[in-house]
Every structure is written in structure tokens, then in C-alpha cells.
Amino acid sequence: MSKFGKGRKQSERRGRKGPSQHKKSFPQEVGTVQMTREGFAFVIVDGQDGDIFVKASKTRHALDGDTVRVAVTKEVPSRANGRAGQKQSPMKREGEIVEIVKRSGKQFVGVFHNVGAQAWVLMQSKNMPWDIEVDAEKAAAMGARRGMKVAAVVDRWDRSEVNPMGHLTDVLGLPGENETEMHAILAEFNLPYRFPKEVEDAADGISEEISEKDLKGRKDFRQTLTFTIDPADAKDFDDALSFRRLDNGNYEVGVHIADVSYYVKPGSAVDREARERGTSVYLVDRTVPMLPEKLCNKLCSLRPHEDKLTYSVVCEISPKGDIKSRWIGRTVINSSYRFDYRQAQDIIEKYCITQTGNQTAPQGCEKTPIEDAVTTLWSLAAIYKDKRAKAGAINFDRPEMKVEIDGNGKPVDVHQAVSKESNWLIEEFMLLANRTVAEYVATGGQMNGVAQKNAKTFVYRVHDLPNAEKLESLKRFAGTFGYKMGDALEGRAAAKTLNDLLRSAEGKPECAAFEDIALRAMAKACYDTDNIGHYGLAFKFYTHFTSPIRRYPDLMVHRLLTIYLAGGASQDNGFYKLECRHASERELVAADAERTSTKYKLVEYMQDKVGQEYDGRVSGVTDWGMYVEIEPSMVEGMVSLRSIRSDFFEFDEDHYRLVGKRTHKVFRLGDPVRIRVAGANLEQRLLDYELVETGIR
């Protein structure tokens, strides 16, 4: 028998009969199951804003992540039930799952428990309400012991069975240990944390020597001043900049990217693994790379004073930032300097007037060649940044919080990561290279003496127009603070309207709330072969070319570029469209895993602060409570409405606020509050706050 038979009666009822025959007369949709801890589910349908609610008794043994067919049995007018700015369907739909189209095959993480010859994985997940029965002998052979965290996959769930049957895929270790918990997050998102031996062996077999054959057809930049700027703790340096002053007063600027495609051949063991991963994953305490270490940290890392094979975009640029000519092709470089962002920032602040007004070098002080390169490139980057802003690029300047950990993975501090001029320098030249490559392929232009007759199949990074209805919601919300947004809420004109609002609210508490709602109005950037441009960057042509060490789409871009620069024919659009979809999906999974690891560490950081009080601001409001970000760490937790003793609060969906029924006290996004940390649940990765109320009657 199951441990504890969670959901037994519902499961047994489902086991006796399938969906009613008359469900065939209801409209049906195919979507993905989002399961809850309580057993009820939501079916998410691609392209639809509203989901479909399914009672626990109507889930037909579907599990989180499964693709299902659902009959929509009821539609009623909906009431907003989400954080501010989230689009809700005008109708709330309920349904019954009638068919499991495809099992997700995802891993579920839980705690191993055995009694005699029977064993289960006891679920603690917010999206898996049933325990999984496993073979006790096989689990023991893998090293599983009672109380250990394990990962398991469901093999089957027959209608006659109370619980799903499955098998262990990994024994993760003891709960609470950093290594265990990080591996548990990776397992939860089906992300591998080891490379198969076949892949490691294939990577190790690649020669580190650069021969004359490897240099054939490459432009030699080894005598040109070249440098990298990366985070202080970076190990893989996949981009470098070169700089040379020309006799005509212009500059030759090279953006050099690790030539991963030269080493990783299509269909090879390394390539298959890289495609499956799609991207490197950056957890708080580690990087889970897309490529084996031999490639990402050695062969393809543009380390200083080593010859490296690169793919480059080289432009002749005037002092005013005008592009006079461009060249794309394979090169060889030898980086002269390896800077971290702080070191590059010191050079900029020494000679240039920055956003903070710093300038420490006396006027007329002679610069070294590398100082001349860094400061000149920064001046060009400032021009490009300003041009993008004038073209309508959206400027979300939300602070990024960084969790600092000690040698054991324990969080010791949370602070704001500040973006400065050295960050902008690198960003603007990466944007320039990405845009140059995309424009060349998209316009069917000429490059390096090879003319294209027509635009060809390519991998673009695209970003669609924002949702006008959500921007209208933002306009109404901003109006409650006295702001008047313009009427242009569609197309490119909406960018100016939005930027004007954010600029007028800059530095004020409500600005963060405006940014939050605006972000929810934005479409998600993704990969596609259909070029619709990049709305957020205000670019008509854009791709990802600059990070093939950590993003598979960049590797595809390099390969296509090689074909087209040689005059090759357009490649199979259908194939690359599917590859774009796969890469976009992998990107979303990686982002979810990264957020989850950050959330875990934030909750862990707050564990010893239960009972302490903090000032904060309301960051979200819902039917069930309000989210609060405390200062200065910006760690977010939930104040449940049930925990507020002074009044009964209701959610005013039209104005995104909570209103006291008796006192008429109002809580809006951005409002200052004082909270007490009430609880920190590591297993659920949840922080509970309670409102510090004074003068309660």
C-alpha cells in the first residue's frame, strides 16, 4: 500500500471509470498540465491567455508537464486572480482531461522511504501531489537509504492503481546539503549535471594545437591590440574586442567570438549533447555548461597570450559612430589583456566623465595604448546606446540582486549588482555584431565580395510587439498615481509612451511597480526563422552570434554564416524552425532553474532572520495577499491576507490594490510597509512575512 495514500479516494474513483461519453460534445483543447500540490490542475494552451481549471477528480492520472486533451465543460466570467498586470481571460474555464496525449517523462524529486519490501518516493514538490512507488531492491542497489533525496520518473499509472509506479533515476544525497539541493533543482528541471563519458572522451580527443591547416583562410589579428572584459570569476571568455586607429582618422574595431563551430561538427557526440542542453545554466553556486570543460574553458576560451581561433565582425567606424565598412569572417587572435569589469571601469573613470561624474586623471594626461582603446570604445558605445534610446529601445533599469555564497555554498549576503559603463561597452559592441550578422543575411546584401541574391534561412532572435491591453492596464494604474500616459499604446509608438512614463517616475517608489507591469506586457524574446525584428532593442534585424560557448543558437548561426559567406544555398527552413523552437524551450527551462536556485538561496539566507523586522515595499497584490520586497536586499516574501489582524482586506482588481473593508486602508504597489519575517520554508522555497501593525484596535 502507498505511504500515506495521498489522494486515495480521488484516485480510486478515477480508476473505476474514464471520462463521460458526453464530453465529446464539449469543445476540446490540447495543452500542458500545470499540477498543484492539492491535486487540481491547470491546462495551459499555447497562444491563449487563460488556462483551463481541472478538478482533482477530473485529471485522469495526468501529471505535471504532461500534454493532454481537455474538454471545456464550463465557462463563467472570471475575476482577476493574479499579480498586477497579468492578463486574465475574460472567461474562467473549467474542464475534464479526456486523454493523456504524451507523458512528459520529467523527473520528480522527493525523499526515499521504505517499509520492508515496499518503497516510495515521498513527494514534497508543489506540483506533484502523489507519491511514487518504486522497486525497493533496485533502489537499494543504487545506494538509496531512508531519508535521502532522490529523483524518480513515473513509468506507468494504471487506472486500478492508487499511486503511480516508477523508478529512481538518481540518488541525490541528504536533504539540506548544498550539493544535494542544487542537484535536486537540476533534476527537477531535467537538466543534466554530468556529461556522458562518450561526450567527455570526444571533447578530450580534440587537439589543442593550432596548425597551419587551421589557419588557412583566416585573417590574422594576432598583432592587433585585443582584450577581453568579463566578470571577475569568469572562466570561459567567448568574446574579445580589438582596436586600431586608422590613418584616415577612423577606427578599426573587431568583435571576435570563439570559433566553436570549427571544433564542434554537426551530428557529433559533443554537438548532440550541446543541442539537447541548448544553453549553459547558471545556478547561484555553479555553472552547468553546454560544452565540456575542454572546450568551454580551454580550447574555445579566449585566454590572454594564447593563439585562439575566432569568428569575427570587423568594422571601420568614424569618431561619430558611423559604420563606414564591415567584414565578417574567420580569424585568429592573441588577446593582450584580460580585464574584469571593475578594472575596465577604473580606466573609464580615470579619463572619462561617467554617469557618476568621476574623472580622476588630470587633463592632458597621456594614455597608454590599452587605455586609449578602452576609452575610445566606451565613447562609441555611449553613442550607440543613445541612438538606441532615441530609436525607441525599452530601457528597463531594474536592479539585479546577487547572492554571495561562501566556500560551502551557504549564502552570506545579498546585494545589488550595479551595471556601469564597462558593462555597457561590451553590451553595445555585442549588439553591433549581432545586428550586423543578421542584417547581412536578412537583406541579401554583399559581404567579403560574396553577394546574396535573396534573404536566406537564418536563426533570428526576435521580440514581438507588446500587448496593448496590458499597456492600457498600466495606463489606468499609473493614472491612480497622477501620471498621464500618452494614447499611443500599439506598435513602435508605444515604446516612446512607455519610456516617457518610466523616465517621469524614475527614482520614485512607484517606478518599480510600473516596470513590473510593463515587463508583463512585453512579449518574450525567442528564436525563429521568421524575422519580425526585436521590439525591445528597436532593431529591425537581430540574431545571437556572440556566445556559441553557452548558447546553441549561436552555434547554428555560425554554421549558417559559414555556408552563406561561401555562396552556399539557403538551408532547410522547416528544419531550422523546429530547432529554433527547441532552443527557445531549453532557454525557458534554464531560466526557470536559475530562478529556482536563487529563490532557494534567498530563503536559506532568511532562515536565521525569522522574527526580525524590515522596511519594505509592496511588489505585488493578489486575492490571497501581498508580496513585499524588503530593503536593502530586495528579498521578496508573501504577507497573507489572513495574517492581517486589523481588518479584512479585499483585492480591487481594477486598481491593483488591497482595500480594508472596515478601515478603508489601502495597499498599492510601491507602498512602504514594515514586515516581520514569519517563516522560511526551504522545501517549498517560500518566505512568509507578516505585517507589523501598530495601534491595532
Side-chain angles (χ1 to χ4, degrees), residues 98-132:
V98 296
E99 179 189 1
I100 298 173
V101 178
K102 182 182 178 183
R103 287 286 190 192
S104 70
K106 71 179 292 183
Q107 297 181 106
F108 295 100
V109 175
V111 175
F112 182 73
H113 182 83
N114 64 314
V115 178
Q118 290 185 296
W120 301 268
V121 179
L122 310 187
M123 287 295 126
Q124 299 174 326
S125 169
K126 64 181 179 182
N127 53 26
M128 181 54 170
W130 295 281
D131 304 317
I132 303 172

Side-chain angles (χ1 to χ4, degrees), residues 569-587:
S570 183
Q571 300 299 290
D572 184 350
N573 187 73
F575 170 80
Y576 279 98
K577 183 168 281 293
L578 291 175
E579 290 298 292
C580 284
R581 182 180 301 174
H582 173 76
S584 298
E585 290 170 354
R586 299 311 300 163
E587 179 186 33

Side-chain angles (χ1 to χ4, degrees), residues 441-461:
V441 178
T443 59
Q446 181 167 324
M447 185 68 64
N448 313 347
V450 177
Q452 296 215 74
K453 294 181 180 179
N454 302 105
K456 298 180 178 179
T457 294
F458 204 51
V459 174
Y460 296 99
R461 180 69 170 177

